[in-house]
Amino acid sequence: RATHQVIEFAFDWRRPIEDEAKRLAQVVSEQLELRKSNNQPVRFVAHSMGGLVVRTMQIVEPDLWKLAMARDGARVLMLGTPNGGSWAPMQVLSGDDTFGNTLVAFGAPFGDHKARQLMAQFPGFLQLQAALVDDQRKLELESTWQRLADEDLAAVRQFNWWHSGEAQLNAYRWGVPPQGVLDQAVELRRKLDAQRDKQLAGFADKLLLVVGKARFTPDGFEIGQRGLEYLDAQDDGDGRVTRPSARLPGVRTWEVDCEHGKLPDHEDAFAAY
């Protein structure tokens, strides 16, 4: 605030990212107009999913994006943005993530499955999922998610045979995203990948990326004796997003020694930001 007018933009992570990007575009358009006489730039500091909202603004409002990036000094600072997706949505929907468990804690006892099924219907949340266009994993299909959910529950029944009651099993039941929600997520993923491959070079010099560091970052999964287990990125991620997923070709990247959620609060990095 010492050097900039700070305008906070609160987006709804449940809604389609395209919708929130259009809302952001309205704010940016207003601010560019206010600065028309002095030609001052609008700059972005975007944490996590916020970076995808900014990138999607370029897709839904390309002319406005060009106008914004043409201002001298314009830039986008992304902090831990899952540019290639994250495994956090699946972690939540499979009941293996504390974020989902925290939401459940505010609901009715043993309401785990209902809470996860509700989250499975949020388009913006599923648009964060990694490997949506992986031909081998087939995560673009509702049937794949249902199969994984069934296999995981079957393994839990066999390994934890004493968990036989419905209330107990609800703690392990997945939220399975509907096909329509998956289709919407895949559509945006293809657009973001096309942007990366065909358009990014034209404004990569305006983007900057900071990645974090954590001991464990999910990077895929496998079905084992105890059910579905997440693979470790082997110190190559921030706890939420792997470094390869965050990075973009031609975009300058730095690493900060803190985990994903702390990137906007890491005061030692503020001067660099």
Side-chain angles (χ1 to χ4, degrees):
R1 292 183 185 276
T3 57
H4 292 71
Q5 176 191 5
V6 178
I7 302 168
E8 296 182 5
F9 180 78
F11 61 89
D12 189 338
W13 56 269
R14 300 167 300 180
R15 291 176 53 79
I17 291 178
E18 299 95 325
D19 291 357
E20 297 305 281
K22 289 177 182 177
R23 282 206 310 115
L24 175 62
Q26 293 176 353
V27 176
V28 173
S29 179
E30 293 169 0
Q31 295 304 320
L32 286 174
E33 184 64 26
L34 290 173
R35 290 158 178 76
K36 196 171 184 178
S37 60
N38 56 28
N39 208 38
Q40 284 188 333
V42 171
R43 293 168 172 168
F44 302 85
V45 180
H47 176 235
S48 193
M49 181 180 178
L52 295 183
V53 176
V54 177
R55 283 186 59 193
T56 303
M57 191 184 80
Q58 187 275 332
I59 294 173
V60 298
E61 295 287 351
D63 292 339
L64 177 66
W65 177 268
K66 289 179 182 178
L67 187 64
M69 292 299 105
R71 296 275 178 99
D72 186 35
R75 62 174 175 261
V76 178
L77 172 61
M78 295 180 289
L79 308 177
T81 294
N83 286 299
S86 167
W87 290 97
M90 180 178 279
Q91 278 189 291
V92 171
L93 297 183
S94 64
D96 295 297
D97 180 82
T98 53
F99 174 50
N101 293 332
T102 298
L103 292 182
V104 168
F106 290 97
F110 301 110
D112 315 53
H113 176 247
K114 288 184 178 180
R116 287 193 286 271
Q117 191 56 48
L118 178 64
M119 294 188 70
Q121 300 176 50
F122 295 152
F125 184 55
L126 264 296
Q127 285 173 323
L128 296 176
Q129 178 60 45
L132 281 173
V133 292
D134 186 326
D135 291 338
Q136 293 184 332
R137 295 190 186 274
K138 301 291 185 183
L139 291 181
E140 77 278 12
L141 300 176
E142 179 182 356
S143 58
T144 299
W145 288 79
Q146 188 62 62
R147 176 179 57 79
L148 291 171
D150 293 342
E151 291 178 358
D152 190 39
L153 185 61
V156 168
R157 286 176 180 272
Q158 183 174 1
F159 190 80
N160 299 326
W161 54 267
W162 56 91
H163 283 181
S164 57
E166 285 301 305
Q168 292 173 313
L169 289 174
N170 275 339
Y172 298 95
R173 286 194 170 95
W174 289 35
V176 176
Q179 189 59 55
V181 172
L182 290 169
D183 291 344
Q184 196 167 6
V186 169
E187 182 180 3
L188 179 62
R189 171 47 51 196
R190 295 193 189 282
K191 290 179 180 178
L192 288 169
D193 289 351
Q195 178 196 68
R196 176 199 64 200
D197 298 338
K198 300 177 181 178
Q199 299 169 303
L200 182 66
F203 52 84
D205 61 325
K206 302 288 186 178
L207 308 183
L208 305 99
L209 174 65
V210 175
V211 297
K213 190 175 183 180
R215 291 184 177 181
F216 176 81
T217 303
D219 188 17
F221 62 88
E222 63 182 10
I223 297 288
Q225 184 180 4
R226 300 189 181 189
L228 185 137
E229 297 179 333
Y230 291 92
L231 306 177
D232 186 7
Q234 302 295 327
D235 296 322
D236 199 19
D238 64 10
R240 286 287 188 186
V241 183
T242 66
R243 193 171 293 113
S245 178
R247 297 199 66 174
L248 290 168
V251 174
R252 291 165 291 171
T253 304
W254 292 262
E255 182 185 277
V256 173
D257 191 16
C258 69
E259 53 88 21
H260 181 84
K262 296 294 184 181
L263 284 168
D265 303 323
H266 194 64
E267 293 188 11
D268 289 346
F270 283 3
Y273 290 171

